[in-house]
Amino acid sequence: MKAFTYQRVRTPAEAAQAALRTPGARFIAGGTNLLDLMKLEIETPTHLIDVNGLALDKIEPLADGALRIGALVRNTDLAADARVRRDYGVLSRALLSGASAQLRNKATTSGNLLQRTRCPYFYDTNQPCNKRAPGSGCSAIGGFSRQLAIIGVSDACIATHPSDMAVAMRALDATIETVRANGSVRTIPIADFYRLPGNTPHIETALEPGELITAVTLPKPVGGKHFYRKVRDRSSYAFALVSVAAIIQPDGSGRVALGGVAHRPWRIEAAERNLPGGAKAVTDQLLAGAKPTAENEFKITLIQRTLSAVMAEAKKG
Amino acid sequence: MNVNTKDTNTNDVDTEVANRSDDPGDVTISRRDLLIIGAAGAVSAATLPSLAAAQNAAQNSAGPAPALAPSKVSFKVNGKVHALELDTRTTLLDALREHLQLTGTKKGCDHGQCGACTVIADGRRINSCLSLAVMHEGSSITTIEGLGTPDKLHAMQAAFVKHDGYQCGYCTPGQICSAVAVLDEIKQGIPSHVTADLNARPPLNAAEIRERMSGNLCRCGAYSNIVDAITEVAGRTA
């Protein structure tokens, strides 16, 4: 690990200003992904700003029925919150399907959103990777790609975003609140938060340098039956090959977002109109234009079958 | 390596090891002490070149030079307060093992994948390898050494012995710390991936225990005996 200096901050504004003042600085909260990458020297911050002292660890209801989740709420606490379990079951289920209990006890809401890709070539510093070393090339294209993206890909990168939580939040139309280094605040819909890789796979989100996530807000509950079905090589503690987050209403309408297929949680609202027509009709429109590799084209069939299983379960009593 | 360690424990193991290694006439040194001394040497050797490299990089860049002065942190381990001065890069795991000589907590993968380093920090199990020691100011940590003693085993330790919940034993301290926390999490009503009804209290059964223990790997494959051990303690404390 490269040497770094360390400071604790007490307010979001102080954190953002510290980040602006110090080139090479990174925020650290749970640290479960950042420290992992620092040990491999894939991340090499010269300064860490510990944001754990910010009072951003509350889950609070808003007047309009929405639920505001502080950026530092731990994954365990968010999954176990009674309101989330009752009204946003898809989110609770997604969180509980991710990582291990030890990691969920540390990992925060904002850190989960900002975790880096698990593409094996991003982690292997002996291999070219446009995300780790811009311009060096992509080893995954033509390499081992079974786990990797099938849609929204570019010639520069076929990595997937690894978060389960973010897929559920995409289905729930969550919004992300931030504070910028100049002190101004803004709200980013999760649909606009993650970028596709294009020619700049190293730039993953809409955040500006120094911008700090302060909260995630879930709009008021939409009802329906909530599902998060994750298909993976082990039954626990593994990343998704594919995952389906779905909210299905009694009349058969609903929402569907996919994980494990793209550089961001994948949702096409127009495809949801096909729900009464069955899983194939939805999947065909959701994955129109997919560019899978020979190793991961199975994901298209797997998604259709997983969605079909979810829809069958939704019809049961 | 121990010069920066300010341990409030006057009977410090650090001092004991250092004194013995300074005495060439002492032949009673144990294999364990030898390993501790050897490891300390290896850490110093491995750390110095990278510190030097970082210093050069800092001098060559326009950014502020990383101050390499050690950071102070104070936290409680197994009820005893320790004030340490550490390189900011020191993980909680390395602070426990290399600075406080609490070697019960094991380093396996060092990347949060195996669970051998599991400790209970402020009532929650975490991977101590993925946490910086300086981020634990004021924390209260429980390691395997704090759960029970050879003379008075914790119920979970006794159950692991009874049910043969290990073979080589390397993952065992992490498994036991994790298992103690699992029962507490179920008691608190925290659901898991296999909990059928999110809005009911999670049941205490083998499926729940297996899912909740998935962050602790055992290469010897003692899983079924580990589940038996935890089930027995759960029955007793339920």
Side-chain angles (χ1 to χ4, degrees):
Chain A
M1 206 186 297
K2 299 284 189 193
F4 57 85
T5 49
Y6 168 83
Q7 88 178 101
R8 300 183 186 103
V9 289
R10 294 282 166 240
T11 67
E14 189 191 341
Q17 283 157 20
L20 185 67
R21 266 201 315 270
T22 322
R26 292 290 304 266
F27 300 123
I28 186 165
T32 54
N33 187 218
L34 183 58
L35 288 170
D36 181 27
L37 293 167
M38 285 169 65
K39 287 182 180 191
L40 297 165
E41 300 190 352
I42 293 167
E43 293 273 8
T44 54
T46 56
H47 184 67
L48 286 185
I49 301 165
D50 181 349
V51 296
N52 286 291
L54 308 182
L56 300 174
D57 55 357
K58 303 282 185 298
I59 304 175
E60 51 193 359
L62 301 181
D64 62 355
L67 194 65
R68 187 170 185 272
I69 303 157
L72 293 171
V73 172
R74 308 287 151 171
N75 287 180
T76 296
D77 298 320
L78 184 56
D81 183 89
R83 293 156 294 191
V84 175
R85 287 156 74 171
R86 186 188 64 221
D87 297 330
Y88 306 97
V90 63
L91 177 57
S92 201
R93 287 281 178 215
L95 282 158
L96 294 171
S97 76
S100 67
Q102 287 97 316
L103 293 169
R104 293 194 296 271
N105 278 343
K106 277 242 111 193
T108 62
T109 305
S110 52
N112 188 318
L113 287 173
L114 294 176
Q115 63 184 305
R116 306 294 305 273
T117 174
R118 301 306 167 111
C119 173
Y121 300 100
F122 176 71
Y123 266 75
D124 183 351
T125 51
N126 296 307
Q127 304 281 344
C129 167
N130 287 320
K131 191 182 277 293
R132 175 168 34 76
S136 63
C138 175
S139 306
I141 297 172
F144 294 104
S145 58
R146 180 169 177 272
Q147 195 83 25
L148 301 175
I150 58 171
I151 195 158
V153 296
S154 73
D155 291 340
C157 183
I158 59 169
T160 50
H161 194 268
S163 174
D164 295 294
M165 182 193 80
V167 180
M169 286 181 170
R170 179 69 180 90
L172 291 165
D173 284 331
T175 55
I176 296 159
E177 293 172 40
T178 69
V179 56
R180 282 182 279 202
N182 64 10
S184 66
V185 297
R186 65 168 170 158
T187 300
I188 308 168
I190 193 165
D192 303 331
F193 186 72
Y194 294 107
R195 296 160 53 110
L196 289 178
N199 291 321
T200 54
H202 58 291
I203 306 171
E204 295 172 339
T205 69
L207 293 181
E208 296 169 4
E211 191 169 5
L212 179 77
I213 297 175
T214 53
V216 174
T217 296
L218 306 177
K220 70 176 182 192
V222 295
K225 285 188 179 173
H226 288 221
F227 301 90
Y228 190 78
R229 187 72 64 94
K230 182 174 180 178
V231 184
R232 45 186 164 173
D233 286 333
R234 295 191 300 259
S235 61
S236 184
Y237 200 14
F239 291 102
L241 284 168
V242 306
S243 69
V244 172
I247 301 171
I248 308 291
Q249 301 296 344
D251 66 1
S253 67
R255 304 175 178 192
V256 177
L258 306 177
V261 297
H263 214 244
R264 66 181 180 208
W266 196 257
R267 182 178 173 200
I268 307 285
E269 279 83 344
E272 293 161 4
R273 285 198 290 269
N274 293 338
L275 274 166
K280 186 175 187 318
V282 179
T283 309
D284 283 350
Q285 192 167 350
L286 255 176
L287 298 180
K291 282 174 65 181
T293 67
E295 279 190 10
N296 68 21
E297 61 186 354
F298 74 92
K299 287 189 176 190
I300 293 173
T301 314
L302 190 55
I303 287 161
Q304 189 188 312
R305 289 177 180 169
T306 307
L307 178 59
S308 180
V310 164
M311 290 168 69
E313 202 176 324
K315 275 187 191 150
K316 279 194 250 168
Chain B
M1 109 168 221
N2 296 316
V3 288
N4 291 330
T5 308
K6 282 186 192 161
D7 195 322
T8 53
N9 176 9
T10 49
N11 235 341
D12 193 357
V13 183
D14 293 0
T15 322
E16 201 185 324
V17 172
N19 287 346
R20 272 195 235 167
S21 63
D22 286 340
D23 179 1
D26 183 0
V27 291
T28 61
I29 192 160
S30 72
R31 177 177 165 274
R32 189 181 197 89
D33 285 347
L34 196 63
L35 284 170
I36 290 170
I37 295 161
V43 167
S44 312
T47 310
L48 285 174
S50 60
L51 276 176
Q55 225 156 11
N56 290 341
Q59 281 159 3
N60 294 339
S61 77
L68 295 172
S71 268
K72 289 183 183 176
V73 66
S74 168
F75 48 75
K76 207 183 269 186
V77 183
N78 302 329
K80 202 182 294 172
V81 175
H82 296 273
L84 300 170
E85 286 187 35
L86 300 168
D87 185 308
T88 50
R89 291 170 289 188
T90 312
T91 60
L92 177 59
L93 173 62
D94 287 340
L96 293 170
R97 288 182 55 84
E98 308 295 338
H99 295 265
L100 300 175
Q101 267 66 50
L102 290 168
T103 52
T105 308
K106 301 300 187 223
K107 182 180 282 192
C109 68
D110 209 24
H111 285 275
Q113 297 171 6
C114 76
C117 68
T118 303
V119 300
I120 300 170
D122 299 318
R124 299 181 151 215
R125 53 177 166 153
I126 63 165
N127 301 111
S128 61
C129 75
L130 283 187
S131 200
L132 293 173
V134 291
M135 293 175 71
H136 284 277
E137 178 65 38
S139 285
S140 185
I141 317 283
T142 302
T143 69
I144 189 69
E145 292 93 340
L147 285 178
T149 64
D151 298 330
K152 195 170 185 268
L153 294 179
H154 184 280
M156 193 64 77
Q157 291 170 313
F160 267 65
V161 172
K162 178 180 166 188
H163 290 277
D164 210 9
Y166 50 83
Q167 185 176 316
C168 80
Y170 195 81
C171 72
T172 310
Q175 298 276 4
I176 290 176
C177 284
S178 209
V180 167
V182 162
L183 297 189
D184 188 47
E185 287 161 15
I186 293 175
K187 199 189 262 179
Q188 288 178 49
I190 295 171
S192 86
H193 174 60
V194 299
T195 308
D197 182 355
L198 275 183
N199 295 302
R201 289 197 69 77
L204 218 168
N205 56 35
E208 285 280 351
I209 291 170
R210 285 179 187 279
E211 161 61 24
R212 290 168 190 270
M213 291 295 292
S214 72
N216 291 83
L217 306 188
C218 170
R219 286 297 302 274
C220 302
Y223 296 114
S224 59
N225 293 358
I226 291 171
V227 172
D228 288 348
I230 300 172
T231 303
E232 179 176 300
V233 178
R236 205 183 294 157
T237 58

